[in-house]
Amino acid sequence: MILRELGTLLRLGLRNLAGYKLRTALTMTGVTLGVMAVIVMLAIGAGAERALLREIGRLGIENIIVNSVRPPEKKEDTQTSSWQFNRYGLTFKDEKQIRQTVPGLKTVLPVHKRRDSVWWGSKKVEATVYAVQSRHMHLFNLEVTRGRNLTEYDGAALKRVCVIRAGLVPELGILRDPLGMHLQVGDRYYEVVGVLRDQDFLGYARKAL
């Protein structure tokens, strides 16, 4: 009985489809376009998700970045409080305390990032400057293509040395080998000991350290 009713409904449906060909064609077109739109949206979403996870994976999903935020200034601040205000931020003492108080940490990596002026003669470039330790370069796969990397001795001896990205050389108008040159960063001079590939540095900078 049920099969007979289903057969009757199917015949009526096919008869209506054949009788209204234009309406049938428009309906089929609408359904097809709707399904295609859903598939495209899902594909775009999946692609964006994979790209996001890939970028996060480069930085490390298990990584936590702690940034210091400059506190707002107050007009009623005294000279003493202004001096304390200028000393805001995280220090190596904070790094040591984090190591001692937070269980399960694999490594703690201090980084200081700021915008500053880089000078070569009378040529100035506004650049992002990273103050890092020698192990920082290895952990973030920053490859030095010319010269050498930073070393632990550089940090222990407080040597004013730097590794620059390759693109900074033409931006400063340098026409010779930059190794051994002294660039002015802010109000201090640093010796160039290594040159990074721009591709590696730009990938690193996108990690928003």
Side-chain angles (χ1 to χ4, degrees), residues 17-99:
L17 291 176
Y20 303 94
K21 296 181 179 180
L22 179 60
R23 185 175 65 181
T24 301
L26 292 175
T27 302
M28 293 179 61
T29 302
V31 172
T32 302
L33 292 177
V35 172
M36 289 177 59
V38 172
I39 293 175
V40 170
M41 291 176 60
L42 291 176
I44 293 175
E49 181 182 1
R50 285 196 297 270
L52 179 60
L53 290 175
R54 184 167 58 251
E55 289 297 323
I56 295 176
R58 290 177 182 175
L59 176 60
I61 297 179
E62 297 179 350
N63 290 357
I64 298 176
I65 300 176
V66 180
N67 293 319
S68 60
V69 179
R70 186 180 182 89
E73 294 188 56
K74 297 181 180 179
K75 295 182 179 180
E76 60 271 16
D77 285 343
T78 62
Q79 183 176 359
T80 302
S81 61
S82 297
W83 177 80
Q84 294 175 347
F85 173 81
N86 290 330
R87 293 178 58 85
Y88 81 99
L90 301 171
T91 65
F92 286 110
K93 183 178 179 180
D94 297 315
E95 177 198 6
K96 182 178 179 181
Q97 186 173 4
I98 291 173
R99 291 179 183 274

